[in-house]
Amino acid sequence: MDALPFGQYGFGIAVGIIAIMLSISGICLGLGYALDDKRLKEFGKGEIYQSIVSGALVGFMIALFASNGLITGVVNSITLGSTSSFSCPSYMNDNAALCFSYSYLMGLAPYSISGNQYSSLFVTVSGLLVSLLALGTVLGTIAAFKLNLLIVSISFSSILSPIIGEIQYVLNIVTTLALGITVQAALLSFVSVTAITVILPAGLILRSLYATRKIGGFLIAVAIGTYVVLPMSYLLNATMVNTYSSVNSTDIIQITGSASSISGQLNSAASLSSNQISSGIFSSLADGVTQITAQLNQLLSDLLFGISKLIMQIFILPAFSLIVTGISIKELSTLLGSEASFGKFRIV
């Protein structure tokens, strides 16, 4: 019994309720024939039928989702056939698609798909975030320098301030992307912990009762949709986007190093007296800042294009996954005698 996906308690309660409902429906059917009451007869027959269906559902779900069950085997086979070297928390190991989806979002180690190796979205976005913070700090330091001479003072703030503003704008976007990844990973963790161990047995139990039959059918559909369809849609997303490389932080780190060098030269120049500062030092600093500014303009162009790809991976494709999952839940609910309505977000 311990090998069951939702443990012995959910199974035992569902079986017990089904047995009780069979007894009650049998009594109602007997009373209907004894009293020649058509309504009691129909109710008894209907509940016997529903109890048999509920019992078949319990056995069917065990066959599908138990260790080495049909659905578990198919999902793992499809996932492992196209991916490799991914890692996830131990509680996700039974579902390879969930494990891969978590690794695709939050894994600290690279994952492989179709023979190519990629960093997770979290690692990519975190690298961008740290690199942009370092670059913004260094550029802010350079922009804050002001060298006062006898006649004039020199500052690079007018050159760098617009670029620093753009970097701050990009930082806000990257922070939002990191938050989106974290929320999705938390959702997958919640699904892996509750879908088959809590939501599915609760649905089977409620499906066995006359008053809560529709709610039970809906919960069973939610469990199947989130445990199977949602992670498989993430696998599809990863397969679709693996044909191009994501933005990385290498160029940002290189420019940050160059900017740090300019910052060091400015510190050295600031320690000199005004009559010790030669025109060569100013020319060198000005040329360095101009060169970095040109590199930053190109970087921002490439960075915005790369971030647009990340937005597609982190927000647009997961929205597609949620729509597909919602449709599957709606259709499964209908098959199980329930109804799933999404209000203004109704899916036809």
Side-chain angles (χ1 to χ4, degrees):
M1 193 72 70
D2 292 337
L4 294 174
F6 45 85
Q8 57 183 341
Y9 299 109
F11 176 78
I13 293 171
V15 171
I17 291 176
I18 291 170
I20 292 172
M21 290 304 298
L22 275 173
S23 301
I24 293 174
S25 57
I27 293 171
C28 291
L29 183 61
L31 288 174
Y33 278 106
L35 300 175
D36 197 20
D37 189 318
K38 183 179 179 181
R39 293 178 59 187
L40 276 176
K41 289 180 184 178
E42 291 178 351
F43 176 79
K45 289 179 180 179
E47 285 306 304
I48 288 176
Y49 168 76
Q50 291 294 341
S51 297
I52 293 173
V53 171
S54 296
L57 272 176
V58 172
F60 193 52
M61 293 302 159
I62 293 173
L64 290 179
F65 293 103
S67 298
N68 299 319
L70 180 61
I71 292 295
T72 304
V74 170
V75 168
N76 291 347
S77 176
I78 293 174
T79 304
L80 297 175
S82 57
T83 63
S84 60
S85 68
F86 54 88
S87 60
C88 63
S90 58
Y91 54 81
M92 294 184 176
N93 287 337
D94 290 338
N95 187 329
L98 264 176
C99 185
F100 170 80
S101 300
Y102 187 89
S103 180
Y104 166 69
L105 289 171
M106 288 285 291
L108 298 180
Y111 67 90
S112 295
I113 183 168
S114 300
N116 298 317
Q117 194 172 66
Y118 302 93
S119 296
S120 69
L121 292 175
F122 180 77
V123 169
T124 300
V125 171
S126 297
L128 283 176
L129 190 61
V130 173
S131 301
L132 287 170
L133 285 171
L135 178 59
T137 301
V138 174
L139 292 178
T141 303
I142 296 175
F145 270 111
K146 184 176 290 186
L147 296 178
N148 295 311
L149 303 179
L150 293 176
I151 301 175
V152 296
S153 63
I154 298 177
S155 173
F156 298 106
S157 62
S158 60
I159 299 175
L160 295 178
S161 292
I163 296 176
I164 293 174
E166 289 297 318
I167 291 175
Q168 185 61 47
Y169 173 73
V170 173
L171 268 172
N172 292 334
I173 297 176
V174 174
T175 302
T176 304
L177 293 177
L179 181 61
I181 294 170
T182 305
V183 170
Q184 292 175 59
L187 174 62
L188 290 178
S189 296
F190 177 79
V191 167
S192 66
V193 171
T194 61
I196 302 301
T197 58
V198 178
I199 299 176
L200 180 60
L204 290 171
I205 291 169
L206 295 175
R207 177 67 177 71
S208 304
L209 294 170
Y210 174 76
T212 57
R213 186 157 293 141
K214 289 187 177 182
I215 298 176
F218 174 72
L219 289 180
I220 294 172
V222 168
I224 297 173
T226 56
Y227 192 75
V228 178
V229 179
L230 182 62
M232 291 299 290
S233 67
Y234 271 95
L235 176 61
L236 176 61
N237 294 346
T239 303
M240 289 191 293
V241 301
N242 78 335
T243 55
Y244 60 81
S245 58
S246 298
V247 61
N248 59 68
S249 57
T250 303
D251 294 337
I252 303 175
I253 295 172
Q254 292 175 351
I255 295 177
T256 303
S258 300
S260 297
S261 176
I262 297 295
S263 178
Q265 294 179 45
L266 283 170
N267 279 321
S268 299
S271 65
L272 300 175
S273 62
S274 59
N275 58 1
Q276 290 176 309
I277 301 176
S278 66
S279 60
I281 293 177
F282 279 121
S283 177
S284 175
L285 291 174
D287 289 344
V289 172
T290 302
Q291 184 179 5
I292 289 177
T293 302
Q295 291 175 346
L296 285 170
N297 288 328
Q298 181 61 43
L299 172 68
L300 287 172
S301 176
D302 295 339
L303 191 60
L304 290 174
F305 181 69
I307 287 177
S308 68
K309 296 178 181 178
L310 289 174
I311 290 174
M312 183 180 69
Q313 289 180 267
I314 296 170
F315 290 117
I316 298 177
L317 289 178
F320 164 77
S321 297
L322 290 177
I323 291 173
V324 172
T325 303
I327 292 174
S328 68
I329 291 173
K330 179 179 175 64
E331 297 303 322
L332 285 170
S333 296
T334 302
L335 289 176
L336 294 169
S338 184
E339 182 178 351
S341 177
F342 299 94
K344 293 182 179 180
F345 302 98
R346 186 183 300 274
I347 301 172
V348 181

